[in-house]
């Protein structure tokens, strides 16, 4: 099939449209893209000096939803189905995968990094791990009313914080603190609340905090004009009011900024847990011995295993996690303007690029 994709040729340069022929191989499918979300990882490739694993030129984009329009051998059962394409697709066969550690699979496929991604009319990906989407027109299956384009952000912005929350062992009545609530962090706030936690949202942007106060945050803390010690005092005060001991604190660094990472680490207390979800190539200075002194835990998080996508999808379709208020659908042809606006911090919501029909 002849497809059009927007290709990243060199750091800092505008992406350009390119036509090419694509045919799915054995075990692969060709997905007609309904929508592809723009992630800060994409910005890192274009502006931040982060290298893609596939040599340039490359079509970026890893938050993809769409319909399977062609299928290779052994993947025919997916033909004509609506799907969400996982952002990280483990091989399912190696020692890491069979041990339940697919996130560190050395053979994983990351669309828009290992292979051409979703800023295109179509993309070819392995069929393994695809998340089937039910009939969205059936109110019984989709009380939220979400459309297929909207569901694209499940592939990273929603599933990644879900995995981080799941790995943390968060239980009902625990305290969840999200530092940085744009995109991933904002959806994390909603997920933690849906699972019964008391949630504190910390951010430098008051508009984001105001939105999350209506979508899951028990309390919000604007951190733009206060020091990290003051943030910690307010978190402690809230935890004390709700009688939540520090060993039931789950702290999520979702800002991807050095200041946010420093703040999140400073919140560690006896027995608490820190999940590092955001990414920055910048270094920060910290006292690692705090982990020892507090008998605390810090853990990174890379994507979400495909087997958990159906549970994430259910949270969204049921309306327990709202997606529509936090995204902005734009024509795919606006990709360069959209990237520039995101890099300049001019956008408050997560863009979803929609191919023009």
């Amino acid at each position: 099939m002849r497809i059009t994709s927007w290709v990243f040729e060199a750091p800092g340069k505008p992406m350009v449209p390119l036509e090419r022929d694509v045919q799915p191989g054995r075990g692969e499918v060709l997905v007609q893209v309904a929508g592809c979300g723009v992630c800060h990882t994409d910005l890192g490739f274009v502006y931040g000096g982060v290298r893609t694993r596939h040599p340039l030129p490359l079509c970026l984009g890893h938050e993809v939803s769409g319909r399977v329009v062609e299928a290779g051998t052994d993947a025919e059962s997916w033909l004509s189905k609506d799907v969400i394409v996982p952002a990280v697709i483990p091989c399912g066969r190696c020692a890491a995968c069979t041990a339940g550690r697919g996130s560190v699979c050395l053979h994983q496929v990351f669309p828009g990094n290992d292979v051409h991604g979703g800023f295109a009319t179509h993309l070819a990906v392995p069929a393994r791990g695809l998340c089937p989407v039910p009939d969205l027109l059936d109110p019984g299956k989709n009380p939220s009313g979400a459309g297929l384009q909207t569901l694209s952000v499940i592939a990273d912005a929603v599933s990644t914080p879900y995995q981080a929350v799941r790995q943390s062992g968060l239980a009902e009545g625990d305290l969840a603190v999200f530092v940085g609530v744009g995109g991933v962090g904002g959806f994390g706030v909603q997920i933690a609340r849906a699972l019964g936690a008391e949630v504190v949202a910390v951010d430098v942007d008051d508009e984001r905090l105001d939105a999350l106060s209506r979508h899951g945050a028990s309390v919000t803390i604007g951190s733009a004009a206060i020091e990290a010690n003051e943030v910690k005092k307010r978190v402690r005060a809230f935890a004390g009011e709700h009688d939540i001991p520090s060993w039931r604190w789950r702290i999520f660094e979702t800002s991807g900024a050095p200041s946010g990472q420093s703040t999140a680490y400073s919140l560690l207390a006896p027995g608490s847990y820190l999940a590092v979800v955001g990414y920055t190539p910048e270094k920060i200075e910290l006292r690692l011995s705090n982990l020892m002194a507090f008998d605390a835990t810090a853990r990174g998080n890379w994507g979400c295993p495909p087997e958990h996508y159906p549970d994430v999808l259910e949270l969204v379709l049921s309306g327990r996690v709202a997606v529509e208020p936090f995204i902005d659908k734009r024509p795919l042809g606006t990709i360069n303007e959209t990237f520039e606006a995101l890099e300049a911090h001019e956008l408050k919501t997560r863009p979803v690029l929609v191919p023009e029909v």
Side-chain angles (χ1 to χ4, degrees):
M1 178 178 288
R2 193 76 170 169
I3 75 165
T4 300
S5 57
W6 284 80
V7 175
F8 169 45
E9 296 182 316
K13 291 189 175 181
M15 284 165 275
V16 297
L18 176 69
E19 289 191 354
R20 55 192 173 88
D21 292 316
V22 177
Q23 183 176 3
R26 188 183 189 90
E28 292 185 337
V29 296
L30 187 69
V31 177
Q32 182 175 350
V33 176
C36 184
V38 183
C39 176
H40 278 78
T41 301
D42 298 311
L43 296 185
F45 292 142
V46 176
Y47 302 111
V50 180
R51 294 187 177 183
T52 59
R53 296 195 285 240
H54 185 288
L56 302 181
L58 177 69
C59 177
L60 303 177
H62 57 271
E63 290 187 348
V64 183
S65 61
R67 171 163 291 190
V68 176
V69 292
E70 288 189 15
T73 305
D74 297 334
E76 295 90 347
S77 62
W78 288 99
L79 198 58
S80 300
K81 289 187 177 180
D82 291 338
V83 297
I84 299 167
V85 179
V88 178
I89 308 170
C91 76
R93 301 182 301 273
C94 70
C97 287
T98 54
R101 295 300 305 274
S103 60
V104 296
C105 169
L106 296 178
H107 310 289
Q108 65 183 228
V109 174
F110 182 162
N113 189 359
D114 295 305
V115 297
H116 289 292
F119 296 138
T121 57
H122 303 74
L123 81 162
V125 290
R128 63 178 181 271
L130 289 174
C131 178
V133 174
D135 180 5
L136 298 177
L137 298 179
D138 183 344
K141 297 178 180 178
N142 182 21
S144 72
L148 188 58
Q149 297 168 348
T150 300
L151 299 181
S152 61
V153 295
I154 284 178
D156 188 3
V158 187
S159 57
T160 293
Y162 175 85
Q163 172 67 358
V165 168
R166 185 177 177 276
Q167 284 188 154
S168 76
L170 183 82
E172 185 173 354
D174 284 351
L175 176 66
V177 183
F178 285 85
V179 180
V181 294
V184 168
F187 292 123
V189 166
Q190 295 190 65
I191 292 165
R193 186 60 180 171
L195 297 180
E198 295 290 345
V199 186
V200 175
V202 182
D203 203 285
V204 298
D205 190 309
D206 290 338
E207 283 187 47
R208 289 175 179 170
L209 293 174
D210 182 59
L212 268 302
S213 69
R214 300 188 297 274
H215 289 277
S218 308
V219 67
T220 62
I221 300 174
S223 57
I226 62 175
E227 299 293 329
N229 283 342
E230 179 60 26
V231 174
K232 188 165 187 173
K233 286 180 183 178
R234 297 187 188 185
V235 170
R236 281 177 173 170
F238 178 81
E241 291 169 5
H242 291 78
D243 196 25
I244 307 174
S246 61
W247 51 267
R248 295 186 64 184
W249 295 10
R250 303 292 184 265
I251 303 155
F252 301 90
E253 197 299 297
T254 44
S255 73
S259 59
Q261 292 189 338
S262 295
T263 296
Y265 192 80
S266 74
L267 294 175
L268 282 172
S272 55
Y273 178 103
L274 170 64
V276 181
V277 187
Y279 173 79
T280 173
E282 302 298 324
K283 296 179 180 180
I284 65 168
E285 185 175 302
L286 52 81
R287 187 171 62 192
L288 197 60
S289 294
N290 283 14
L291 292 173
M292 176 276 293
F294 292 146
D295 193 20
T297 302
R299 181 173 182 175
N301 186 87
W302 177 253
C304 177
E307 57 264 30
H308 298 315
Y309 272 57
D311 291 336
V312 183
L313 177 60
E314 174 57 28
L315 282 173
V316 173
L317 294 185
S318 67
R320 297 173 71 194
V321 172
V323 173
E324 198 73 39
F326 299 95
I327 66 169
D328 175 20
K329 299 172 195 171
R330 296 173 165 224
L332 179 57
T334 68
I335 186 169
N336 290 313
E337 299 94 315
T338 298
F339 268 63
E340 290 167 3
L342 265 181
E343 178 65 7
H345 305 288
E346 295 173 357
L347 303 183
K348 303 296 185 182
T349 52
R350 198 174 193 85
V352 172
L353 298 180
V354 177
E356 296 90 339
V357 178

